[in-house]
Amino acid sequence: VDMDLPEIEDIPKECFTQQDGKMKKKKKTQTQIKEDYIQIVFGLAVFVCSYFFNMSFDIERILISSYTQRRNSEGDLKDEYIYSIKFSRNVFEETDLTKVDPYEFCMNFENRCHILSNKTMKEIVPFD
């Protein structure tokens, strides 16, 4: 599976209800945005692959590599792969996916992913 991910700029703002009942949008910190993005993109991997495993019992393994568009130093948009994961059916069948942290679940499989301490996802070379 080769998946085009949403861009980090598409992460929604945080909303809350004020005492007067009106909704207000609040900007998230860069750390919050990056943490949310990590959960979203790995959640998409789990969701999409669980769907494919559900399509056929003959599917035993799925390799998913996902990319996003980022600007290079010249300002041109470029596809950058940010993770590549080899999923196996048996782990999906043995796991209640409603109770997993998507990032932690994905890290239990053979993967290529490079996340810095500040939660920035760096470009990787996906599995063949």
Side-chain angles (χ1 to χ4, degrees):
V1 178
D2 200 40
M3 185 165 60
D4 183 3
L5 296 167
E7 282 71 55
I8 196 165
E9 296 82 18
D10 296 334
I11 300 296
K13 295 180 178 175
E14 189 172 351
C15 294
F16 65 95
T17 306
Q18 298 179 353
Q19 287 183 351
D20 62 5
K22 293 181 182 177
M23 293 293 290
K24 185 169 181 170
K25 291 182 180 179
K26 177 181 163 187
K27 281 191 170 186
K28 294 179 181 181
T29 66
Q30 283 301 307
T31 301
Q32 287 173 313
I33 290 170
K34 290 175 183 179
E35 288 172 347
D36 286 352
Y37 189 71
I38 288 168
Q39 292 302 313
I40 290 167
V41 298
F42 285 103
L44 282 169
V46 173
F47 176 79
V48 167
C49 290
S50 64
Y51 176 79
F52 285 130
F53 281 132
N54 199 35
M55 288 177 61
S56 171
F57 289 113
D58 293 332
I59 299 172
E60 291 295 324
R61 288 178 293 288
I62 296 174
L63 167 60
I64 184 166
S65 298
S66 298
Y67 61 93
T68 187
Q69 288 75 38
R70 295 181 176 164
R71 297 209 178 267
N72 61 18
S73 58
E74 290 82 37
D76 300 321
L77 280 177
K78 178 185 168 209
D79 290 342
E80 289 188 3
Y81 283 87
I82 57 175
Y83 66 77
S84 190
I85 307 166
K86 295 180 179 180
F87 287 119
S88 58
R89 170 184 287 282
N90 63 331
V91 178
F92 272 73
E93 290 177 339
E94 298 166 357
T95 305
D96 180 354
L97 297 176
T98 64
K99 299 185 185 325
V100 300
D101 175 280
Y103 170 74
E104 290 177 15
F105 181 73
C106 291
M107 293 302 103
N108 289 320
F109 296 90
E110 186 178 356
N111 69 79
R112 291 184 182 167
C113 174
H114 185 122
I115 301 176
L116 302 177
S117 60
N118 71 357
K119 305 299 184 194
T120 299
M121 297 184 77
K122 299 299 285 181
E123 183 177 17
I124 56 100
V125 176
F127 293 114
D128 288 334

